[in-house]
Amino acid sequence: MTTKTSNETYGAGTTVDTEFSPPPAECERILRIFAARTPGFTKDEALLSGVHPRTNQVSSRHSSPTCNDIDVNHAGLYPATAALVTIDGVTGPEVIKLPTVPQWDKDRASNSPLVYRGTAIYETADRGVWFQLHGSLDSWKMLALLGISKDLDSEILTNDAAYELIQERVLTYRAREIEQLVVEKGLSGSIVYSPEEWRQTEMGRSLSRHPLVNYKQQAHCAALPHVSFPILEDKRPLAGIKVVELTRIIAGAAAGAALASMGAEVMRVNSSKLKDYTPVQPSSLMAGKTTIDLDLEDPADHKKLMQLFEQADVILQGYRLGSLSRRGFGLEAALELASKRGKGVVYVDENLALMVITQSDLGGSR
């Protein structure tokens, strides 16, 4: 990829690409990375070269006349579509104030400058080494780590003032010190590495041994017959497929939205005990889904989720490593249910970088 970068767009400590490879070449490059690193991915050159993104649309040279084109100019608006939502006659950011929209992230909805700047990049005592604070869904825990209490919220009235205060506190730590503190407190954050520096870290080296996408058939469970897709009036490719989505934040929720857009019946399981701003983004992350609020500490709700598992064709989970397994909803439980009903299941574990971490108490937003 040929790019030029600038460190002036978002301020010191950040870089952004200012020139890009042509979209067709870049799309083909990314596709071939997936093909090379994904077990079982086709190596058929005719197929790989047949995926052809056009300047304003993406389609396949081998597509049928009924294949939908994607207007990538509009698709690029995806992150901003929350501002385009209309609920009960209200449009834009004001929808989060409606009583019909769950408020599971009241801190972020408060528009506090300190909460807003709880997620940003700050220089450490190691001059030239920056740290990404990720306030995630509980910025006050992150701020408390730096000695910043809610008492200061009424005094810090602008985002710039909040940034200056947090920067002042972060400068008292070396990069490794604050990273260790973040891990110990179960919070999110990371030293800002260059690509080469990242590849030399323990996690970078470990991740390099894994494909971008990995899958495997679970051979230790009962061999089950193939089941045909249901024949429905809805001709979308996943029509009739039932998906149970247990995710938070963005990546897993976006995957569920993609499945819903292809016709799948996606049931998203939320918990009002956990902070989550996904429900206020209905046009992007919640589109086409049904939601249910469950508390797995409640036996009745635990039973409801088990019933959803019994019916699911696909289970999409994005919580912390081992979290659902400890509650009886891990891969083994899903396979046992599939064996009992005589129908297989696809269990998708969206585990990001935690796939190589063995410390189950590492923190994060998941």
Side-chain angles (χ1 to χ4, degrees):
M1 181 177 182
T2 302
T3 65
K4 291 184 178 180
T5 61
S6 167
N7 61 4
E8 299 176 355
T9 305
Y10 295 112
T14 64
T15 60
V16 62
D17 294 332
T18 57
E19 293 186 10
F20 304 88
S21 303
E26 186 62 10
C27 288
E28 182 174 347
R29 182 186 73 86
I30 294 171
L31 175 65
R32 291 181 180 278
I33 289 176
F34 274 96
R37 299 187 185 182
T38 303
F41 203 103
T42 182
K43 301 297 189 292
D44 187 331
E45 184 60 31
L47 290 176
L48 292 174
S49 61
V51 178
H52 177 61
R54 299 198 294 269
T55 303
N56 291 318
Q57 294 179 321
V58 178
S59 64
S60 169
R61 290 181 185 142
H62 305 297
S63 61
S64 67
T66 59
C67 179
N68 292 327
D69 287 334
I70 301 172
D71 185 334
V72 294
N73 290 331
H74 287 171
L77 293 173
Y78 178 89
T81 50
L84 307 178
V85 177
T86 297
I87 299 177
D88 297 337
V90 178
T91 300
E94 293 298 310
V95 299
I96 67 173
K97 299 178 182 179
L98 293 173
T100 51
V101 176
Q103 289 299 307
W104 294 339
D105 184 16
K106 293 182 174 62
D107 288 339
R108 196 173 295 271
S110 70
N111 294 319
S112 163
L114 283 170
V115 169
Y116 181 72
R117 288 303 191 186
T119 298
I121 298 173
Y122 296 93
E123 190 172 16
T124 66
D126 300 313
R127 294 295 183 170
V129 180
W130 296 70
F131 191 86
Q132 165 73 61
L133 286 181
H134 200 308
S136 190
L137 296 180
D138 204 334
S139 292
W140 288 112
K141 282 187 177 180
M142 178 68 76
L143 294 169
L145 183 72
L146 302 172
I148 299 174
S149 69
K150 282 190 176 183
D151 295 338
L152 293 173
D153 201 29
S154 60
E155 301 176 21
I156 305 299
L157 304 180
T158 68
N159 291 333
D160 287 345
Y163 187 92
E164 290 175 6
L165 175 61
I166 298 172
Q167 175 63 93
E168 177 184 300
R169 301 298 174 87
V170 174
L171 276 173
T172 64
Y173 295 94
R174 301 194 67 178
R176 293 291 182 187
E177 291 174 339
I178 193 168
E179 186 173 60
Q180 184 61 35
L181 280 173
V182 165
V183 170
E184 289 175 355
K185 297 297 183 181
L187 302 172
S188 298
S190 174
I191 296 172
V192 178
Y193 294 105
S194 69
E196 182 55 35
E197 289 171 339
W198 162 251
R199 285 191 284 268
Q200 297 306 313
T201 66
E202 182 178 354
M203 183 176 287
R205 291 195 302 270
S206 184
L207 283 173
S208 69
R209 298 192 292 269
H210 293 265
L212 295 177
V213 178
N214 199 5
Y215 67 90
K216 59 182 177 180
Q217 184 175 6
Q218 301 298 313
H220 64 278
C221 57
L224 299 173
H226 291 285
V227 178
S228 300
F229 277 34
I231 300 176
L232 303 170
E233 290 186 8
D234 187 343
K235 299 306 179 184
R236 289 179 295 173
L238 297 183
I241 298 300
K242 295 182 178 180
V243 179
V244 175
E245 177 193 309
L246 296 124
T247 69
R248 292 175 71 200
I249 319 302
I250 297 173
L259 296 178
S261 72
M262 290 186 280
E265 300 174 21
V266 180
M267 173 65 76
R268 176 180 168 83
V269 180
N270 294 315
S271 173
S272 52
K273 294 178 67 174
L274 299 173
K275 291 189 176 184
D276 190 352
Y277 58 75
T278 302
V280 304
Q281 303 183 60
S283 69
S284 52
L285 300 181
M286 301 292 282
K289 302 178 186 178
T290 303
T291 64
I292 186 172
D293 184 13
L294 298 179
D295 176 2
L296 296 187
E297 303 301 323
D298 183 331
D301 283 359
H302 192 281
K303 182 178 180 180
K304 288 179 183 177
L305 182 55
M306 189 62 71
Q307 291 171 340
L308 290 175
F309 265 48
E310 291 171 352
Q311 302 171 31
D313 299 301
V314 178
I315 297 168
L316 172 59
Q317 91 83 18
Y319 282 88
R320 191 177 304 173
L321 191 66
S323 176
L324 287 179
S325 294
R326 291 192 295 272
R327 293 166 173 80
F329 295 102
L331 173 61
E332 295 298 328
L335 292 177
E336 183 178 346
L337 289 172
S339 296
K340 288 181 179 179
R341 72 183 184 185
K343 178 183 176 183
V345 66
V346 176
Y347 192 95
V348 182
D349 193 359
E350 178 256 321
N351 48 28
L352 302 179
L354 296 184
M355 63 191 295
V356 294
I357 299 299
T358 57
Q359 295 171 273
S360 61
D361 59 346
L362 277 184
S365 59
R366 300 168 55 242

